[in-house]
Amino acid sequence: MSAAIVRLSVCVSLDGRVATSVDAPPNQEKFGGWTSEDDKRVFKANVAWADLLVMGSKTLAQSPILAKMGKQIVVISRGSPAMPSMKWRRVVVRPDRASLTGWLKAFDGKKLLLCGGVMTYGTFLQFGLVDELSVTVEPVVLNVGPSFTFQGLVNVEAEPQKFELLRLDRLNERQTVHMHYRRV
Ligand SMILES: NC(=O)c1ccc[n+]([C@@H]2O[C@H](COP(=O)([O-])OP(=O)(O)OC[C@H]3O[C@@H](n4cnc5c(N)ncnc54)[C@H](OP(=O)(O)O)[C@@H]3O)[C@@H](O)[C@H]2O)c1
């Protein structure tokens, strides 16, 4: 059977940033929303494609609705004390290379959607575990907020990871763009 396919789904600003948290700027609700309904549609389509949704413990804690989308949830966590209260989690995987690669082997042939956040995106990219990128770019410069790949990780892969563009769509009148890439 073929290997698992890991697709990273993210919405970024023109300067490649995402919101840090629901409390900090650029908070999507407080600032009137920098992401579009069209990006939400892209995310829903990615969820429909996936067999499993993979996310960091913080993203799941902040967006518990992700656990109600009818898909198996996989939480990336070191097993912090907060985790036992997350009754809706099904699987917990530690964020180190051996744990992640070993776990992925058990999902041969499955489609995994990486839902964030930045630490989790960065962890999978650092270990070269992302096969596809689904990136929506909103036409706004945020100036604050982290890079979507998170800069604080160590042992980052030295080799650049190359991707080819499979599809490019303009989503709306304000020219929100969606790009779908595959690792080469
Ligand atoms: N724009 C978008 O498309 C998008 C999508 C999703 C999220 N986001 C944003 O991202 C924010 C959350 O990102 P985040 O990076 O703070 O949280 P996160 O990646 O959701 O979760 C971080 C947690 O995951 C575990 N983890 C994952 N990789 C790790 C590593 N290499 N080392 C140690 N622990 C690791 C740890 O869990 P334990 O502490 O349990 O060990 C860590 O506390 C949200 O507030 C949201 O705004 C944006």
Side-chain angles (χ1 to χ4, degrees), residues 61-92:
Q62 288 184 353
S63 307
I65 192 167
L66 289 167
K68 296 174 184 163
M69 300 185 98
K71 302 285 175 165
Q72 183 176 357
I73 301 293
V74 178
V75 186
I76 307 302
S77 171
R78 296 156 298 180
S80 62
M83 287 303 295
S85 64
M86 294 182 179
K87 291 191 175 64
W88 12 259
R89 83 182 191 277
R90 309 251 176 98
V91 182
V92 179

PDB file of all heavy atoms in Angstrom, residues 61-92:
ATOM      1  N   ALA A  61      -7.261  23.127  21.316  1.00  0.00           N
ATOM      2  CA  ALA A  61      -7.857  23.767  22.499  1.00  0.00           C
ATOM      3  C   ALA A  61      -8.564  25.064  22.108  1.00  0.00           C
ATOM      4  O   ALA A  61      -9.618  25.398  22.643  1.00  0.00           O
ATOM      5  CB  ALA A  61      -6.768  24.041  23.533  1.00  0.00           C
ATOM      6  N   GLN A  62      -7.982  25.787  21.130  1.00  0.00           N
ATOM      7  CA  GLN A  62      -8.571  27.067  20.724  1.00  0.00           C
ATOM      8  C   GLN A  62      -9.732  26.896  19.755  1.00  0.00           C
ATOM      9  O   GLN A  62     -10.583  27.768  19.647  1.00  0.00           O
ATOM     10  CB  GLN A  62      -7.495  27.946  20.067  1.00  0.00           C
ATOM     11  CG  GLN A  62      -6.480  28.482  21.065  1.00  0.00           C
ATOM     12  CD  GLN A  62      -5.484  29.415  20.405  1.00  0.00           C
ATOM     13  OE1 GLN A  62      -5.457  29.563  19.193  1.00  0.00           O
ATOM     14  NE2 GLN A  62      -4.671  30.047  21.214  1.00  0.00           N
ATOM     15  N   SER A  63      -9.731  25.799  19.022  1.00  0.00           N
ATOM     16  CA  SER A  63     -10.780  25.579  18.015  1.00  0.00           C
ATOM     17  C   SER A  63     -11.392  24.193  18.202  1.00  0.00           C
ATOM     18  O   SER A  63     -11.240  23.309  17.344  1.00  0.00           O
ATOM     19  CB  SER A  63     -10.197  25.703  16.604  1.00  0.00           C
ATOM     20  OG  SER A  63      -9.511  26.904  16.442  1.00  0.00           O
ATOM     21  N   PRO A  64     -12.102  23.968  19.322  1.00  0.00           N
ATOM     22  CA  PRO A  64     -12.659  22.638  19.567  1.00  0.00           C
ATOM     23  C   PRO A  64     -13.630  22.180  18.487  1.00  0.00           C
ATOM     24  O   PRO A  64     -13.906  20.989  18.367  1.00  0.00           O
ATOM     25  CB  PRO A  64     -13.345  22.776  20.932  1.00  0.00           C
ATOM     26  CG  PRO A  64     -13.426  24.230  21.216  1.00  0.00           C
ATOM     27  CD  PRO A  64     -12.365  24.913  20.411  1.00  0.00           C
ATOM     28  N   ILE A  65     -14.093  23.128  17.668  1.00  0.00           N
ATOM     29  CA  ILE A  65     -14.995  22.755  16.571  1.00  0.00           C
ATOM     30  C   ILE A  65     -14.329  21.772  15.610  1.00  0.00           C
ATOM     31  O   ILE A  65     -14.994  20.971  14.940  1.00  0.00           O
ATOM     32  CB  ILE A  65     -15.473  24.014  15.809  1.00  0.00           C
ATOM     33  CG1 ILE A  65     -16.631  23.640  14.877  1.00  0.00           C
ATOM     34  CG2 ILE A  65     -14.350  24.674  15.010  1.00  0.00           C
ATOM     35  CD1 ILE A  65     -17.382  24.809  14.311  1.00  0.00           C
ATOM     36  N   LEU A  66     -12.991  21.797  15.567  1.00  0.00           N
ATOM     37  CA  LEU A  66     -12.264  20.877  14.686  1.00  0.00           C
ATOM     38  C   LEU A  66     -12.545  19.418  15.048  1.00  0.00           C
ATOM     39  O   LEU A  66     -12.442  18.530  14.206  1.00  0.00           O
ATOM     40  CB  LEU A  66     -10.756  21.149  14.757  1.00  0.00           C
ATOM     41  CG  LEU A  66     -10.290  22.459  14.104  1.00  0.00           C
ATOM     42  CD1 LEU A  66      -8.857  22.781  14.508  1.00  0.00           C
ATOM     43  CD2 LEU A  66     -10.410  22.376  12.591  1.00  0.00           C
ATOM     44  N   ALA A  67     -12.881  19.201  16.324  1.00  0.00           N
ATOM     45  CA  ALA A  67     -13.166  17.823  16.763  1.00  0.00           C
ATOM     46  C   ALA A  67     -14.574  17.386  16.388  1.00  0.00           C
ATOM     47  O   ALA A  67     -14.953  16.231  16.595  1.00  0.00           O
ATOM     48  CB  ALA A  67     -12.979  17.719  18.274  1.00  0.00           C
ATOM     49  N   LYS A  68     -15.350  18.324  15.809  1.00  0.00           N
ATOM     50  CA  LYS A  68     -16.745  18.007  15.485  1.00  0.00           C
ATOM     51  C   LYS A  68     -16.976  17.983  13.985  1.00  0.00           C
ATOM     52  O   LYS A  68     -18.082  18.222  13.523  1.00  0.00           O
ATOM     53  CB  LYS A  68     -17.668  19.027  16.141  1.00  0.00           C
ATOM     54  CG  LYS A  68     -17.600  18.972  17.660  1.00  0.00           C
ATOM     55  CD  LYS A  68     -18.410  20.077  18.293  1.00  0.00           C
ATOM     56  CE  LYS A  68     -18.241  20.055  19.796  1.00  0.00           C
ATOM     57  NZ  LYS A  68     -18.659  21.293  20.429  1.00  0.00           N
ATOM     58  N   MET A  69     -15.919  17.752  13.213  1.00  0.00           N
ATOM     59  CA  MET A  69     -16.052  17.778  11.757  1.00  0.00           C
ATOM     60  C   MET A  69     -16.173  16.383  11.174  1.00  0.00           C
ATOM     61  O   MET A  69     -16.038  16.183   9.966  1.00  0.00           O
ATOM     62  CB  MET A  69     -14.877  18.540  11.142  1.00  0.00           C
ATOM     63  CG  MET A  69     -14.817  19.978  11.643  1.00  0.00           C
ATOM     64  SD  MET A  69     -13.565  20.990  10.858  1.00  0.00           S
ATOM     65  CE  MET A  69     -14.536  21.846   9.629  1.00  0.00           C
ATOM     66  N   GLY A  70     -16.403  15.410  12.040  1.00  0.00           N
ATOM     67  CA  GLY A  70     -16.673  14.054  11.571  1.00  0.00           C
ATOM     68  C   GLY A  70     -15.444  13.272  11.161  1.00  0.00           C
ATOM     69  O   GLY A  70     -15.566  12.246  10.483  1.00  0.00           O
ATOM     70  N   LYS A  71     -14.265  13.749  11.540  1.00  0.00           N
ATOM     71  CA  LYS A  71     -13.024  13.057  11.179  1.00  0.00           C
ATOM     72  C   LYS A  71     -12.260  12.676  12.439  1.00  0.00           C
ATOM     73  O   LYS A  71     -12.361  13.352  13.473  1.00  0.00           O
ATOM     74  CB  LYS A  71     -12.132  13.965  10.327  1.00  0.00           C
ATOM     75  CG  LYS A  71     -12.768  14.464   9.059  1.00  0.00           C
ATOM     76  CD  LYS A  71     -12.849  13.381   7.999  1.00  0.00           C
ATOM     77  CE  LYS A  71     -13.612  13.899   6.784  1.00  0.00           C
ATOM     78  NZ  LYS A  71     -13.451  13.068   5.614  1.00  0.00           N
ATOM     79  N   GLN A  72     -11.462  11.623  12.315  1.00  0.00           N
ATOM     80  CA  GLN A  72     -10.616  11.253  13.446  1.00  0.00           C
ATOM     81  C   GLN A  72      -9.592  12.356  13.691  1.00  0.00           C
ATOM     82  O   GLN A  72      -9.015  12.911  12.760  1.00  0.00           O
ATOM     83  CB  GLN A  72      -9.887   9.942  13.169  1.00  0.00           C
ATOM     84  CG  GLN A  72      -9.062   9.497  14.368  1.00  0.00           C
ATOM     85  CD  GLN A  72      -8.401   8.139  14.168  1.00  0.00           C
ATOM     86  OE1 GLN A  72      -8.600   7.490  13.151  1.00  0.00           O
ATOM     87  NE2 GLN A  72      -7.615   7.738  15.139  1.00  0.00           N
ATOM     88  N   ILE A  73      -9.389  12.690  14.964  1.00  0.00           N
ATOM     89  CA  ILE A  73      -8.472  13.768  15.349  1.00  0.00           C
ATOM     90  C   ILE A  73      -7.187  13.166  15.903  1.00  0.00           C
ATOM     91  O   ILE A  73      -7.221  12.265  16.740  1.00  0.00           O
ATOM     92  CB  ILE A  73      -9.106  14.652  16.448  1.00  0.00           C
ATOM     93  CG1 ILE A  73     -10.418  15.267  15.957  1.00  0.00           C
ATOM     94  CG2 ILE A  73      -8.134  15.728  16.904  1.00  0.00           C
ATOM     95  CD1 ILE A  73     -10.274  16.256  14.860  1.00  0.00           C
ATOM     96  N   VAL A  74      -6.071  13.690  15.441  1.00  0.00           N
ATOM     97  CA  VAL A  74      -4.768  13.301  15.980  1.00  0.00           C
ATOM     98  C   VAL A  74      -4.128  14.554  16.559  1.00  0.00           C
ATOM     99  O   VAL A  74      -4.002  15.563  15.869  1.00  0.00           O
ATOM    100  CB  VAL A  74      -3.876  12.703  14.870  1.00  0.00           C
ATOM    101  CG1 VAL A  74      -2.508  12.339  15.434  1.00  0.00           C
ATOM    102  CG2 VAL A  74      -4.543  11.493  14.242  1.00  0.00           C
ATOM    103  N   VAL A  75      -3.759  14.496  17.833  1.00  0.00           N
ATOM    104  CA  VAL A  75      -3.207  15.661  18.520  1.00  0.00           C
ATOM    105  C   VAL A  75      -1.701  15.487  18.698  1.00  0.00           C
ATOM    106  O   VAL A  75      -1.251  14.453  19.198  1.00  0.00           O
ATOM    107  CB  VAL A  75      -3.863  15.849  19.905  1.00  0.00           C
ATOM    108  CG1 VAL A  75      -3.371  17.146  20.541  1.00  0.00           C
ATOM    109  CG2 VAL A  75      -5.368  15.850  19.787  1.00  0.00           C
ATOM    110  N   ILE A  76      -0.947  16.501  18.281  1.00  0.00           N
ATOM    111  CA  ILE A  76       0.496  16.487  18.487  1.00  0.00           C
ATOM    112  C   ILE A  76       0.769  17.165  19.826  1.00  0.00           C
ATOM    113  O   ILE A  76       0.436  18.333  20.022  1.00  0.00           O
ATOM    114  CB  ILE A  76       1.225  17.229  17.343  1.00  0.00           C
ATOM    115  CG1 ILE A  76       0.805  16.669  15.990  1.00  0.00           C
ATOM    116  CG2 ILE A  76       2.739  17.132  17.542  1.00  0.00           C
ATOM    117  CD1 ILE A  76       1.041  15.189  15.790  1.00  0.00           C
ATOM    118  N   SER A  77       1.338  16.413  20.764  1.00  0.00           N
ATOM    119  CA  SER A  77       1.530  16.927  22.118  1.00  0.00           C
ATOM    120  C   SER A  77       2.618  16.138  22.825  1.00  0.00           C
ATOM    121  O   SER A  77       2.819  14.946  22.548  1.00  0.00           O
ATOM    122  CB  SER A  77       0.217  16.784  22.908  1.00  0.00           C
ATOM    123  OG  SER A  77       0.423  17.067  24.273  1.00  0.00           O
ATOM    124  N   ARG A  78       3.325  16.831  23.741  1.00  0.00           N
ATOM    125  CA  ARG A  78       4.294  16.120  24.582  1.00  0.00           C
ATOM    126  C   ARG A  78       3.581  15.437  25.743  1.00  0.00           C
ATOM    127  O   ARG A  78       4.216  14.870  26.606  1.00  0.00           O
ATOM    128  CB  ARG A  78       5.331  17.115  25.118  1.00  0.00           C
ATOM    129  CG  ARG A  78       6.195  17.757  24.046  1.00  0.00           C
ATOM    130  CD  ARG A  78       6.763  19.076  24.484  1.00  0.00           C
ATOM    131  NE  ARG A  78       5.696  20.027  24.745  1.00  0.00           N
ATOM    132  CZ  ARG A  78       5.878  21.282  25.154  1.00  0.00           C
ATOM    133  NH1 ARG A  78       7.094  21.735  25.333  1.00  0.00           N
ATOM    134  NH2 ARG A  78       4.856  22.073  25.366  1.00  0.00           N
ATOM    135  N   GLY A  79       2.256  15.539  25.764  1.00  0.00           N
ATOM    136  CA  GLY A  79       1.490  14.934  26.851  1.00  0.00           C
ATOM    137  C   GLY A  79       1.446  15.846  28.052  1.00  0.00           C
ATOM    138  O   GLY A  79       1.695  15.416  29.173  1.00  0.00           O
ATOM    139  N   SER A  80       1.177  17.128  27.815  1.00  0.00           N
ATOM    140  CA  SER A  80       1.153  18.109  28.906  1.00  0.00           C
ATOM    141  C   SER A  80      -0.027  17.823  29.844  1.00  0.00           C
ATOM    142  O   SER A  80      -0.978  17.133  29.465  1.00  0.00           O
ATOM    143  CB  SER A  80       1.050  19.515  28.339  1.00  0.00           C
ATOM    144  OG  SER A  80      -0.142  19.655  27.622  1.00  0.00           O
ATOM    145  N   PRO A  81       0.014  18.367  31.062  1.00  0.00           N
ATOM    146  CA  PRO A  81      -1.052  18.086  32.028  1.00  0.00           C
ATOM    147  C   PRO A  81      -2.447  18.435  31.521  1.00  0.00           C
ATOM    148  O   PRO A  81      -3.436  17.848  31.952  1.00  0.00           O
ATOM    149  CB  PRO A  81      -0.676  18.964  33.221  1.00  0.00           C
ATOM    150  CG  PRO A  81       0.786  19.162  33.092  1.00  0.00           C
ATOM    151  CD  PRO A  81       1.082  19.183  31.617  1.00  0.00           C
ATOM    152  N   ALA A  82      -2.527  19.394  30.587  1.00  0.00           N
ATOM    153  CA  ALA A  82      -3.850  19.800  30.093  1.00  0.00           C
ATOM    154  C   ALA A  82      -4.487  18.720  29.227  1.00  0.00           C
ATOM    155  O   ALA A  82      -5.695  18.691  29.056  1.00  0.00           O
ATOM    156  CB  ALA A  82      -3.723  21.087  29.281  1.00  0.00           C
ATOM    157  N   MET A  83      -3.673  17.816  28.687  1.00  0.00           N
ATOM    158  CA  MET A  83      -4.195  16.876  27.703  1.00  0.00           C
ATOM    159  C   MET A  83      -5.287  15.933  28.219  1.00  0.00           C
ATOM    160  O   MET A  83      -6.247  15.681  27.507  1.00  0.00           O
ATOM    161  CB  MET A  83      -3.052  16.057  27.098  1.00  0.00           C
ATOM    162  CG  MET A  83      -2.190  16.851  26.146  1.00  0.00           C
ATOM    163  SD  MET A  83      -3.156  17.562  24.817  1.00  0.00           S
ATOM    164  CE  MET A  83      -3.696  16.074  23.995  1.00  0.00           C
ATOM    165  N   PRO A  84      -5.162  15.369  29.442  1.00  0.00           N
ATOM    166  CA  PRO A  84      -6.189  14.397  29.856  1.00  0.00           C
ATOM    167  C   PRO A  84      -7.604  14.959  29.838  1.00  0.00           C
ATOM    168  O   PRO A  84      -8.564  14.211  29.684  1.00  0.00           O
ATOM    169  CB  PRO A  84      -5.762  14.040  31.287  1.00  0.00           C
ATOM    170  CG  PRO A  84      -4.294  14.297  31.299  1.00  0.00           C
ATOM    171  CD  PRO A  84      -4.094  15.490  30.401  1.00  0.00           C
ATOM    172  N   SER A  85      -7.748  16.293  29.954  1.00  0.00           N
ATOM    173  CA  SER A  85      -9.089  16.874  29.958  1.00  0.00           C
ATOM    174  C   SER A  85      -9.681  16.934  28.544  1.00  0.00           C
ATOM    175  O   SER A  85     -10.850  17.209  28.371  1.00  0.00           O
ATOM    176  CB  SER A  85      -9.056  18.277  30.562  1.00  0.00           C
ATOM    177  OG  SER A  85      -8.270  19.112  29.740  1.00  0.00           O
ATOM    178  N   MET A  86      -8.842  16.702  27.533  1.00  0.00           N
ATOM    179  CA  MET A  86      -9.344  16.754  26.158  1.00  0.00           C
ATOM    180  C   MET A  86      -9.954  15.410  25.798  1.00  0.00           C
ATOM    181  O   MET A  86      -9.347  14.585  25.118  1.00  0.00           O
ATOM    182  CB  MET A  86      -8.206  17.090  25.196  1.00  0.00           C
ATOM    183  CG  MET A  86      -7.647  18.482  25.403  1.00  0.00           C
ATOM    184  SD  MET A  86      -6.353  18.785  24.185  1.00  0.00           S
ATOM    185  CE  MET A  86      -5.879  20.448  24.614  1.00  0.00           C
ATOM    186  N   LYS A  87     -11.176  15.200  26.232  1.00  0.00           N
ATOM    187  CA  LYS A  87     -11.787  13.880  26.083  1.00  0.00           C
ATOM    188  C   LYS A  87     -12.038  13.514  24.627  1.00  0.00           C
ATOM    189  O   LYS A  87     -12.105  12.354  24.274  1.00  0.00           O
ATOM    190  CB  LYS A  87     -13.100  13.829  26.853  1.00  0.00           C
ATOM    191  CG  LYS A  87     -12.896  13.882  28.360  1.00  0.00           C
ATOM    192  CD  LYS A  87     -14.184  13.549  29.086  1.00  0.00           C
ATOM    193  CE  LYS A  87     -13.987  13.483  30.596  1.00  0.00           C
ATOM    194  NZ  LYS A  87     -13.602  14.761  31.186  1.00  0.00           N
ATOM    195  N   TRP A  88     -12.146  14.570  23.756  1.00  0.00           N
ATOM    196  CA  TRP A  88     -12.501  14.270  22.371  1.00  0.00           C
ATOM    197  C   TRP A  88     -11.300  13.865  21.543  1.00  0.00           C
ATOM    198  O   TRP A  88     -11.421  13.551  20.387  1.00  0.00           O
ATOM    199  CB  TRP A  88     -13.200  15.451  21.706  1.00  0.00           C
ATOM    200  CG  TRP A  88     -13.142  16.731  22.447  1.00  0.00           C
ATOM    201  CD1 TRP A  88     -14.143  17.257  23.202  1.00  0.00           C
ATOM    202  CD2 TRP A  88     -12.056  17.641  22.518  1.00  0.00           C
ATOM    203  NE1 TRP A  88     -13.742  18.445  23.725  1.00  0.00           N
ATOM    204  CE2 TRP A  88     -12.476  18.713  23.328  1.00  0.00           C
ATOM    205  CE3 TRP A  88     -10.779  17.671  21.982  1.00  0.00           C
ATOM    206  CZ2 TRP A  88     -11.668  19.790  23.617  1.00  0.00           C
ATOM    207  CZ3 TRP A  88      -9.968  18.738  22.267  1.00  0.00           C
ATOM    208  CH2 TRP A  88     -10.414  19.780  23.079  1.00  0.00           C
ATOM    209  N   ARG A  89     -10.123  13.893  22.124  1.00  0.00           N
ATOM    210  CA  ARG A  89      -8.977  13.468  21.328  1.00  0.00           C
ATOM    211  C   ARG A  89      -9.047  11.955  21.137  1.00  0.00           C
ATOM    212  O   ARG A  89      -9.561  11.240  21.976  1.00  0.00           O
ATOM    213  CB  ARG A  89      -7.655  13.860  21.978  1.00  0.00           C
ATOM    214  CG  ARG A  89      -7.200  12.882  23.053  1.00  0.00           C
ATOM    215  CD  ARG A  89      -5.921  13.334  23.684  1.00  0.00           C
ATOM    216  NE  ARG A  89      -5.355  12.288  24.514  1.00  0.00           N
ATOM    217  CZ  ARG A  89      -5.714  12.035  25.755  1.00  0.00           C
ATOM    218  NH1 ARG A  89      -6.666  12.756  26.315  1.00  0.00           N
ATOM    219  NH2 ARG A  89      -5.152  11.073  26.438  1.00  0.00           N
ATOM    220  N   ARG A  90      -8.525  11.456  20.057  1.00  0.00           N
ATOM    221  CA  ARG A  90      -8.514  10.017  19.833  1.00  0.00           C
ATOM    222  C   ARG A  90      -7.094   9.474  19.928  1.00  0.00           C
ATOM    223  O   ARG A  90      -6.859   8.423  20.455  1.00  0.00           O
ATOM    224  CB  ARG A  90      -9.083   9.688  18.459  1.00  0.00           C
ATOM    225  CG  ARG A  90     -10.443  10.333  18.192  1.00  0.00           C
ATOM    226  CD  ARG A  90     -11.554   9.318  18.177  1.00  0.00           C
ATOM    227  NE  ARG A  90     -12.840   9.952  18.012  1.00  0.00           N
ATOM    228  CZ  ARG A  90     -13.458  10.045  16.856  1.00  0.00           C
ATOM    229  NH1 ARG A  90     -12.931   9.540  15.772  1.00  0.00           N
ATOM    230  NH2 ARG A  90     -14.637  10.624  16.777  1.00  0.00           N
ATOM    231  N   VAL A  91      -6.133  10.227  19.351  1.00  0.00           N
ATOM    232  CA  VAL A  91      -4.751   9.758  19.300  1.00  0.00           C
ATOM    233  C   VAL A  91      -3.844  10.922  19.681  1.00  0.00           C
ATOM    234  O   VAL A  91      -4.086  12.052  19.275  1.00  0.00           O
ATOM    235  CB  VAL A  91      -4.391   9.302  17.861  1.00  0.00           C
ATOM    236  CG1 VAL A  91      -2.960   8.776  17.809  1.00  0.00           C
ATOM    237  CG2 VAL A  91      -5.366   8.254  17.359  1.00  0.00           C
ATOM    238  N   VAL A  92      -2.818  10.660  20.450  1.00  0.00           N
ATOM    239  CA  VAL A  92      -1.836  11.693  20.785  1.00  0.00           C
ATOM    240  C   VAL A  92      -0.466  11.207  20.328  1.00  0.00           C
ATOM    241  O   VAL A  92      -0.071  10.080  20.623  1.00  0.00           O
ATOM    242  CB  VAL A  92      -1.804  11.978  22.301  1.00  0.00           C
ATOM    243  CG1 VAL A  92      -0.746  13.035  22.620  1.00  0.00           C
ATOM    244  CG2 VAL A  92      -3.166  12.436  22.792  1.00  0.00           C
TER     245      VAL A  92
END
